[in-house]
Amino acid sequence: MRKFVIVILALLAVVAYSATVTWRLAEVHPLNYPTTQANIFFAETVRKMTNGRINIEVLYGGQLGGETETIQQTMAGVIQFNRTSAAPLSSFVDTLSVLSLPFLFRDKNHYWKVLDGAVGEQLLESMKSSGLIGLTFYDSGARSFYTTKKPILKVEDVKGLKIRVQNSPVFVDMIKLLGGTPIVMEYGQVYSALQTGVIDGAENNIPSYESSSHYEVAPHYTFNMHTMVPEILFMNLAAWNSLSKEDQLIIKTAAFAASLYERKLWEEREKISLEKVKDKVNLYNLTPEEMKRFQEAVQPIYKQYEKHKTVIDSIINTK
Ligand code: GTR
């Protein structure tokens, strides 16, 4: 009898063990960055809600590679979870290009109305065509230009500048419309490219500008806020399909909770980062006229992305 009980217990342990999965989540930012903290919150929530059956290991700081590489690995299922900007993702999921379009969102209220609403859900689902599924959006503020030598104060100042962009067709087209030369490069290479003069500038939100230390080598930051492209937490579609309906619901619920958490951290981090750089760099605001000229200069891009007109219109028409 005793032997029998031991065998049963051993069998149960094997079943329990085999039902436990450990998955990886790629993240380029360091530990203290809002997206990383939200990913850790997400992993912790999933672990608790599944009683430890689903473990997600957050590999931050670019340990698994640059965003383009990890997106490809997530599509292949080598990595199961990932958090990247929607910009490089649009190289693999064309519909996501709309989220990078310049001056698309009117303000934060409009941004979250769209992302938390039907259009947002549709965009997350559209990733299925590339073997991925979007789980939620994270805040990423607004991106602006920063340069090494002279500030960008008007549209003409971009002319001839080599500007680093993410691996995203919209960003490439946008820089061209402004008269600059877009240079596609991974985030991790930007610091030395700025330092050695391979590029004249880049563009990002203040938390990334600060956290990457780009401000040390590119001290002219102009708040032109050309785009509010969000971050996306997503996963491999086959891994998603391997989950029960209950576990899928847990993943979605935890992802949304992580998003709400990230938004709070983001708001705080924007202030902290600004505080940290403000005396070390030159910050510029554009005059309303110049802001308008920037908007007009990139307007033709909407014609170039007309194939996404239905989605673009439903974003613009979200009140
Ligand atoms: C940041 C974003 C990163 C990465 C980076 C970049 O704002 O959070 O995921 O995309 O920009 O410019 O490469």
PDB file of all heavy atoms in Angstrom, residues 89-99 123 126 129-130 169-170 305 307-308:
ATOM      1  N   LEU A  89       7.785  46.814 -34.811  1.00  0.00           N
ATOM      2  CA  LEU A  89       6.825  45.722 -35.073  1.00  0.00           C
ATOM      3  C   LEU A  89       6.121  45.916 -36.415  1.00  0.00           C
ATOM      4  O   LEU A  89       5.721  44.951 -37.065  1.00  0.00           O
ATOM      5  CB  LEU A  89       5.767  45.695 -33.968  1.00  0.00           C
ATOM      6  CG  LEU A  89       5.960  44.677 -32.850  1.00  0.00           C
ATOM      7  CD1 LEU A  89       4.951  44.913 -31.752  1.00  0.00           C
ATOM      8  CD2 LEU A  89       5.876  43.246 -33.364  1.00  0.00           C
ATOM      9  N   SER A  90       5.988  47.193 -36.812  1.00  0.00           N
ATOM     10  CA  SER A  90       5.254  47.458 -38.051  1.00  0.00           C
ATOM     11  C   SER A  90       6.008  46.956 -39.289  1.00  0.00           C
ATOM     12  O   SER A  90       5.434  46.835 -40.359  1.00  0.00           O
ATOM     13  CB  SER A  90       4.945  48.953 -38.184  1.00  0.00           C
ATOM     14  OG  SER A  90       6.132  49.652 -38.419  1.00  0.00           O
ATOM     15  N   SER A  91       7.296  46.641 -39.132  1.00  0.00           N
ATOM     16  CA  SER A  91       8.035  46.040 -40.247  1.00  0.00           C
ATOM     17  C   SER A  91       7.554  44.615 -40.507  1.00  0.00           C
ATOM     18  O   SER A  91       7.809  44.050 -41.559  1.00  0.00           O
ATOM     19  CB  SER A  91       9.532  45.996 -39.947  1.00  0.00           C
ATOM     20  OG  SER A  91      10.073  47.264 -40.074  1.00  0.00           O
ATOM     21  N   PHE A  92       6.906  44.035 -39.518  1.00  0.00           N
ATOM     22  CA  PHE A  92       6.425  42.652 -39.635  1.00  0.00           C
ATOM     23  C   PHE A  92       4.896  42.576 -39.681  1.00  0.00           C
ATOM     24  O   PHE A  92       4.333  41.615 -40.176  1.00  0.00           O
ATOM     25  CB  PHE A  92       6.955  41.811 -38.461  1.00  0.00           C
ATOM     26  CG  PHE A  92       8.455  41.860 -38.362  1.00  0.00           C
ATOM     27  CD1 PHE A  92       9.087  42.779 -37.535  1.00  0.00           C
ATOM     28  CD2 PHE A  92       9.231  41.025 -39.146  1.00  0.00           C
ATOM     29  CE1 PHE A  92      10.471  42.847 -37.473  1.00  0.00           C
ATOM     30  CE2 PHE A  92      10.617  41.087 -39.096  1.00  0.00           C
ATOM     31  CZ  PHE A  92      11.238  42.002 -38.253  1.00  0.00           C
ATOM     32  N   VAL A  93       4.252  43.566 -39.082  1.00  0.00           N
ATOM     33  CA  VAL A  93       2.782  43.627 -39.084  1.00  0.00           C
ATOM     34  C   VAL A  93       2.426  44.993 -39.668  1.00  0.00           C
ATOM     35  O   VAL A  93       2.406  46.006 -38.962  1.00  0.00           O
ATOM     36  CB  VAL A  93       2.201  43.491 -37.653  1.00  0.00           C
ATOM     37  CG1 VAL A  93       0.685  43.411 -37.696  1.00  0.00           C
ATOM     38  CG2 VAL A  93       2.794  42.301 -36.909  1.00  0.00           C
ATOM     39  N   ASP A  94       2.143  44.994 -40.955  1.00  0.00           N
ATOM     40  CA  ASP A  94       1.961  46.240 -41.695  1.00  0.00           C
ATOM     41  C   ASP A  94       0.909  47.185 -41.090  1.00  0.00           C
ATOM     42  O   ASP A  94       1.133  48.399 -41.006  1.00  0.00           O
ATOM     43  CB  ASP A  94       1.604  45.861 -43.142  1.00  0.00           C
ATOM     44  CG  ASP A  94       1.654  47.046 -44.056  1.00  0.00           C
ATOM     45  OD1 ASP A  94       2.436  47.967 -43.765  1.00  0.00           O
ATOM     46  OD2 ASP A  94       0.899  47.058 -45.048  1.00  0.00           O
ATOM     47  N   THR A  95      -0.218  46.629 -40.639  1.00  0.00           N
ATOM     48  CA  THR A  95      -1.282  47.495 -40.103  1.00  0.00           C
ATOM     49  C   THR A  95      -0.818  48.349 -38.923  1.00  0.00           C
ATOM     50  O   THR A  95      -1.348  49.434 -38.701  1.00  0.00           O
ATOM     51  CB  THR A  95      -2.503  46.691 -39.590  1.00  0.00           C
ATOM     52  OG1 THR A  95      -2.033  45.508 -38.986  1.00  0.00           O
ATOM     53  CG2 THR A  95      -3.525  46.419 -40.657  1.00  0.00           C
ATOM     54  N   LEU A  96       0.181  47.847 -38.187  1.00  0.00           N
ATOM     55  CA  LEU A  96       0.648  48.603 -37.022  1.00  0.00           C
ATOM     56  C   LEU A  96       1.344  49.908 -37.407  1.00  0.00           C
ATOM     57  O   LEU A  96       1.568  50.764 -36.552  1.00  0.00           O
ATOM     58  CB  LEU A  96       1.580  47.749 -36.160  1.00  0.00           C
ATOM     59  CG  LEU A  96       0.945  46.548 -35.442  1.00  0.00           C
ATOM     60  CD1 LEU A  96       1.993  45.809 -34.635  1.00  0.00           C
ATOM     61  CD2 LEU A  96      -0.201  46.983 -34.523  1.00  0.00           C
ATOM     62  N   SER A  97       1.654  50.063 -38.693  1.00  0.00           N
ATOM     63  CA  SER A  97       2.284  51.303 -39.180  1.00  0.00           C
ATOM     64  C   SER A  97       1.469  52.519 -38.771  1.00  0.00           C
ATOM     65  O   SER A  97       2.031  53.583 -38.497  1.00  0.00           O
ATOM     66  CB  SER A  97       2.373  51.315 -40.702  1.00  0.00           C
ATOM     67  OG  SER A  97       3.179  50.277 -41.142  1.00  0.00           O
ATOM     68  N   VAL A  98       0.165  52.367 -38.745  1.00  0.00           N
ATOM     69  CA  VAL A  98      -0.697  53.526 -38.446  1.00  0.00           C
ATOM     70  C   VAL A  98      -0.333  54.168 -37.109  1.00  0.00           C
ATOM     71  O   VAL A  98      -0.425  55.386 -36.958  1.00  0.00           O
ATOM     72  CB  VAL A  98      -2.217  53.169 -38.458  1.00  0.00           C
ATOM     73  CG1 VAL A  98      -2.659  52.696 -39.828  1.00  0.00           C
ATOM     74  CG2 VAL A  98      -2.554  52.146 -37.397  1.00  0.00           C
ATOM     75  N   LEU A  99       0.110  53.340 -36.162  1.00  0.00           N
ATOM     76  CA  LEU A  99       0.401  53.871 -34.821  1.00  0.00           C
ATOM     77  C   LEU A  99       1.627  54.778 -34.789  1.00  0.00           C
ATOM     78  O   LEU A  99       1.812  55.543 -33.853  1.00  0.00           O
ATOM     79  CB  LEU A  99       0.566  52.725 -33.814  1.00  0.00           C
ATOM     80  CG  LEU A  99      -0.694  51.912 -33.550  1.00  0.00           C
ATOM     81  CD1 LEU A  99      -0.371  50.718 -32.673  1.00  0.00           C
ATOM     82  CD2 LEU A  99      -1.775  52.781 -32.895  1.00  0.00           C
ATOM     83  N   LEU A 123      -6.028  46.068 -33.635  1.00  0.00           N
ATOM     84  CA  LEU A 123      -4.610  46.136 -33.994  1.00  0.00           C
ATOM     85  C   LEU A 123      -3.802  45.036 -33.296  1.00  0.00           C
ATOM     86  O   LEU A 123      -2.923  44.420 -33.902  1.00  0.00           O
ATOM     87  CB  LEU A 123      -4.039  47.524 -33.659  1.00  0.00           C
ATOM     88  CG  LEU A 123      -4.528  48.650 -34.583  1.00  0.00           C
ATOM     89  CD1 LEU A 123      -4.130  50.016 -34.027  1.00  0.00           C
ATOM     90  CD2 LEU A 123      -3.953  48.489 -35.990  1.00  0.00           C
ATOM     91  N   SER A 126      -4.489  41.941 -35.090  1.00  0.00           N
ATOM     92  CA  SER A 126      -3.945  41.896 -36.456  1.00  0.00           C
ATOM     93  C   SER A 126      -2.556  41.260 -36.480  1.00  0.00           C
ATOM     94  O   SER A 126      -2.072  40.831 -37.524  1.00  0.00           O
ATOM     95  CB  SER A 126      -3.891  43.309 -37.059  1.00  0.00           C
ATOM     96  OG  SER A 126      -2.831  44.047 -36.480  1.00  0.00           O
ATOM     97  N   SER A 129      -1.564  37.570 -38.029  1.00  0.00           N
ATOM     98  CA  SER A 129      -1.127  37.254 -39.392  1.00  0.00           C
ATOM     99  C   SER A 129       0.387  37.021 -39.453  1.00  0.00           C
ATOM    100  O   SER A 129       0.901  36.475 -40.423  1.00  0.00           O
ATOM    101  CB  SER A 129      -1.524  38.392 -40.330  1.00  0.00           C
ATOM    102  OG  SER A 129      -0.901  39.582 -39.885  1.00  0.00           O
ATOM    103  N   SER A 130       1.106  37.443 -38.416  1.00  0.00           N
ATOM    104  CA  SER A 130       2.560  37.249 -38.394  1.00  0.00           C
ATOM    105  C   SER A 130       3.001  36.274 -37.303  1.00  0.00           C
ATOM    106  O   SER A 130       4.160  36.277 -36.889  1.00  0.00           O
ATOM    107  CB  SER A 130       3.267  38.585 -38.178  1.00  0.00           C
ATOM    108  OG  SER A 130       2.920  39.467 -39.209  1.00  0.00           O
ATOM    109  N   PRO A 169       9.168  51.600 -41.498  1.00  0.00           N
ATOM    110  CA  PRO A 169       8.979  52.346 -42.752  1.00  0.00           C
ATOM    111  C   PRO A 169       8.416  53.748 -42.541  1.00  0.00           C
ATOM    112  O   PRO A 169       8.867  54.698 -43.187  1.00  0.00           O
ATOM    113  CB  PRO A 169       7.991  51.484 -43.540  1.00  0.00           C
ATOM    114  CG  PRO A 169       8.118  50.108 -42.966  1.00  0.00           C
ATOM    115  CD  PRO A 169       8.496  50.287 -41.526  1.00  0.00           C
ATOM    116  N   VAL A 170       7.467  53.915 -41.608  1.00  0.00           N
ATOM    117  CA  VAL A 170       6.881  55.243 -41.386  1.00  0.00           C
ATOM    118  C   VAL A 170       7.959  56.248 -40.962  1.00  0.00           C
ATOM    119  O   VAL A 170       8.015  57.368 -41.460  1.00  0.00           O
ATOM    120  CB  VAL A 170       5.746  55.213 -40.328  1.00  0.00           C
ATOM    121  CG1 VAL A 170       5.298  56.619 -39.964  1.00  0.00           C
ATOM    122  CG2 VAL A 170       4.559  54.400 -40.816  1.00  0.00           C
ATOM    123  N   TYR A 305       0.307  56.179 -46.865  1.00  0.00           N
ATOM    124  CA  TYR A 305      -0.243  55.052 -46.088  1.00  0.00           C
ATOM    125  C   TYR A 305      -1.753  54.935 -46.251  1.00  0.00           C
ATOM    126  O   TYR A 305      -2.446  54.413 -45.381  1.00  0.00           O
ATOM    127  CB  TYR A 305       0.197  55.161 -44.609  1.00  0.00           C
ATOM    128  CG  TYR A 305       1.668  54.833 -44.497  1.00  0.00           C
ATOM    129  CD1 TYR A 305       2.637  55.801 -44.763  1.00  0.00           C
ATOM    130  CD2 TYR A 305       2.092  53.536 -44.225  1.00  0.00           C
ATOM    131  CE1 TYR A 305       3.994  55.494 -44.740  1.00  0.00           C
ATOM    132  CE2 TYR A 305       3.443  53.213 -44.195  1.00  0.00           C
ATOM    133  CZ  TYR A 305       4.386  54.202 -44.452  1.00  0.00           C
ATOM    134  OH  TYR A 305       5.721  53.884 -44.432  1.00  0.00           O
ATOM    135  N   LYS A 307      -3.533  52.984 -47.851  1.00  0.00           N
ATOM    136  CA  LYS A 307      -4.110  51.629 -47.800  1.00  0.00           C
ATOM    137  C   LYS A 307      -4.677  51.321 -46.403  1.00  0.00           C
ATOM    138  O   LYS A 307      -5.481  50.424 -46.241  1.00  0.00           O
ATOM    139  CB  LYS A 307      -3.081  50.582 -48.217  1.00  0.00           C
ATOM    140  CG  LYS A 307      -1.855  50.530 -47.363  1.00  0.00           C
ATOM    141  CD  LYS A 307      -0.909  49.429 -47.802  1.00  0.00           C
ATOM    142  CE  LYS A 307       0.436  49.652 -47.153  1.00  0.00           C
ATOM    143  NZ  LYS A 307       1.462  48.760 -47.483  1.00  0.00           N
ATOM    144  N   HIS A 308      -4.240  52.075 -45.396  1.00  0.00           N
ATOM    145  CA  HIS A 308      -4.760  51.864 -44.039  1.00  0.00           C
ATOM    146  C   HIS A 308      -5.821  52.915 -43.675  1.00  0.00           C
ATOM    147  O   HIS A 308      -6.087  53.137 -42.500  1.00  0.00           O
ATOM    148  CB  HIS A 308      -3.612  51.935 -43.017  1.00  0.00           C
ATOM    149  CG  HIS A 308      -2.547  50.923 -43.244  1.00  0.00           C
ATOM    150  ND1 HIS A 308      -2.797  49.578 -43.332  1.00  0.00           N
ATOM    151  CD2 HIS A 308      -1.207  51.058 -43.428  1.00  0.00           C
ATOM    152  CE1 HIS A 308      -1.659  48.924 -43.556  1.00  0.00           C
ATOM    153  NE2 HIS A 308      -0.693  49.806 -43.624  1.00  0.00           N
TER     154      HIS A 308
END
